[in-house]
Amino acid sequence: MTPRLGLVLPLFSGNVERVMGAAREAESLGYDGVFAFDHFFPPGAAPDRPSLEAFTTLAAVGAVTSRVAVGTLVVRAQLRPPGLLAKMAAGLDDITGGRMILAIGTGDPIDEPEHRAFGIPTLSKAERRVHLAEVVAAVKALFRGDAWEGGDQVPPIAGPLLPPPVRPGGPPVWIGAQADPVVRLAGAVADGWNGWGASPGEFARKATLVAEEAGAAGREVESTWAGIALVGEDEAETERLATARRERGMSTDDIWIGSAARFAEHVHALGDAGATWVIVVAAGPTDRAALIARSAHPA
């Protein structure tokens, strides 16, 4: 199986025209979807670094594209009340004619400065996992036209969402997760799981956990991959790009690095491991999105 190909848009540029241009280019290059990080400034950076807001940006992207899916990768569940999150996602689904994908996660410790800078409360690790499960359940209930009865973390939400999402049941909801318990949660309650940066072998192991949980609940849940990719035309250029990245003080840990030919093999391996999507942050020169598209989808 050849996975669908997605591109993470450069919201950290703070440049609206650059992001719109990247979305239009992605559609013309044959990408299947474009995705937005959900940060108020780049994680690990100072608060005076720019980042466009995910939902407003995706609404604009939806207006300048006609085919690609538009998605979050991933919404931090604590940033918005679940009723508001459902309303925004349903609105994007309507605006784009049914192209929205809502991927949600708990967030990581590196996100704490954003919460402090903008006065947003935080939950403990254990609370975040309960909260995530309830947010997903509440959002999906509202998408169906039902009320959410309330839980330990998310209070009752009567709704309804009007207009409803253009698709019955609303946009697909993915959970972004690394830890096995949260991966299993995705299989139990969501429509998809997104694994960040996993090797094909580790991805296959976690995709099996998703499938087991989904099967036990009589459901089908897709597994998707995302990560940073530094792709060179050949091995020599790959080494030059990696060396230049290190000389600028940028990490080469936890990113995929290799030639275009090896990236094609990587995509194939992820497909064999069960990935229905491969979503990339295109590191390196400005033409990498095109090179990645040619590598992943030679046709």
Side-chain angles (χ1 to χ4, degrees):
M1 177 182 67
T2 300
R4 285 165 285 183
L5 185 64
L7 181 72
V8 176
L9 296 169
L11 270 68
F12 295 158
S13 69
N15 186 317
V16 174
E17 288 305 316
R18 180 178 171 188
V19 172
M20 297 301 109
R24 287 188 291 260
E25 180 188 36
E27 186 162 77
S28 70
L29 288 169
Y31 281 85
D32 299 291
V34 292
F35 293 80
F37 288 149
D38 188 26
H39 288 282
F40 295 161
F41 52 85
D48 61 359
R49 290 281 302 279
S51 179
L52 301 177
E53 195 278 326
F55 281 91
T56 48
T57 302
L58 289 176
V61 166
V64 301
T65 58
S66 60
R67 179 186 56 79
V68 288
V70 296
T72 55
L73 197 73
V74 296
V75 164
R76 199 149 71 252
Q78 298 176 77
L79 290 185
R80 299 168 189 84
L84 175 62
L85 180 60
K87 182 70 173 177
M88 296 170 74
L92 266 175
D93 204 46
D94 290 342
I95 288 168
T96 60
R99 292 187 281 139
M100 173 65 181
I101 295 172
L102 179 64
I104 312 175
T106 61
D108 299 305
I110 199 172
D111 304 322
E112 291 295 326
E114 291 179 62
H115 288 260
R116 293 195 299 269
F118 288 91
I120 300 170
T122 59
L123 299 170
S124 70
K125 182 176 181 179
E127 289 171 329
R128 287 199 301 268
R129 291 184 179 179
V130 174
H131 180 256
L132 176 63
E134 292 185 3
V135 167
V136 171
V139 166
K140 288 179 69 65
L142 292 168
F143 283 168
R144 292 192 304 269
D146 299 333
W148 163 248
E149 295 182 353
D152 293 334
Q153 296 286 341
V154 176
I157 307 172
L161 289 182
L162 295 174
V166 69
R167 285 174 287 182
V173 178
W174 299 352
I175 287 178
Q178 304 260 21
D180 284 2
V182 190
V183 173
R184 288 188 177 276
L185 175 66
V189 303
D191 303 305
W193 162 67
N194 182 260
W196 179 265
S199 68
E202 180 67 0
F203 184 91
R205 185 186 72 80
K206 292 183 177 181
T208 299
L209 299 182
V210 172
E212 288 173 352
E213 289 295 325
R219 309 171 63 249
E220 291 187 3
V221 176
E222 64 180 327
S223 294
T224 70
W225 183 94
I228 304 171
L230 181 62
V231 181
E233 291 278 2
D234 52 28
E235 297 296 344
E237 189 194 30
T238 299
E239 182 56 35
R240 289 196 299 272
L241 292 174
T243 299
R245 185 179 177 91
R246 296 185 194 102
E247 289 175 346
R248 292 195 300 272
M250 302 174 69
S251 175
T252 53
D253 297 334
D254 301 323
I255 72 173
W256 190 92
I257 300 175
S259 67
R262 284 202 287 125
F263 183 75
E265 295 171 356
H266 179 63
V267 171
H268 183 76
L270 287 168
D272 287 345
T276 60
W277 281 85
V278 169
I279 303 164
V280 294
V281 179
T286 57
D287 64 350
R288 294 301 103 162
L291 177 59
I292 286 169
R294 292 197 304 271
S295 306
H297 290 170

